[in-house]
């Protein structure tokens, strides 16, 4: 694979590699890196990583109504 110019977004990089079946994107932020099939998925990872850790995987819990079983 040949690496082409990286895409910069808010100080972090999305590297684009040309593979046999098309481009492969690798967003990296700090010690997080992942390979993606398209640029929109790579940008979504960067958006996720930019969130504070307490807001990444927290689900909204409705405390105003009783829990249903």
């Amino acid at each position: 694979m040949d690496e082409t110019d990286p895409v910069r977004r808010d100080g972090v990089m999305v590297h684009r590699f040309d593979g046999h079946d098309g481009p492969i994107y690798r967003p990296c932020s700090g010690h997080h890196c992942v390979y993606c099939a398209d640029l929109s998925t790579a940008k979504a990872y960067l958006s996720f990583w930019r969130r504070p850790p307490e807001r990444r995987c927290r689900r909204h819990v409705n405390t105003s109504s009783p829990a249903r079983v």
Side-chain angles (χ1 to χ4, degrees):
M1 290 190 283
D2 296 324
E3 183 177 2
T4 60
D5 293 331
V7 176
R8 296 179 187 271
R9 182 175 177 179
D10 299 332
V12 292
M13 305 280 263
V14 176
H15 296 273
R16 181 179 182 270
F17 300 93
D18 289 324
H20 294 290
D21 296 331
I24 300 170
Y25 299 91
R26 185 183 68 190
C28 291
S29 176
H31 61 278
H32 300 287
C33 287
V34 67
Y35 289 92
C36 303
D38 57 54
L39 185 58
S40 62
T41 303
K43 289 180 179 180
Y45 272 102
L46 294 180
S47 295
F48 176 77
W49 290 332
R50 277 196 311 269
R51 292 184 210 161
E54 64 273 5
R55 297 203 57 209
R56 287 185 186 162
C57 296
R58 180 176 260 178
R59 286 192 244 180
H60 176 72
V61 177
N62 186 356
T63 57
S64 62
S65 65
R68 294 182 187 177
V69 179

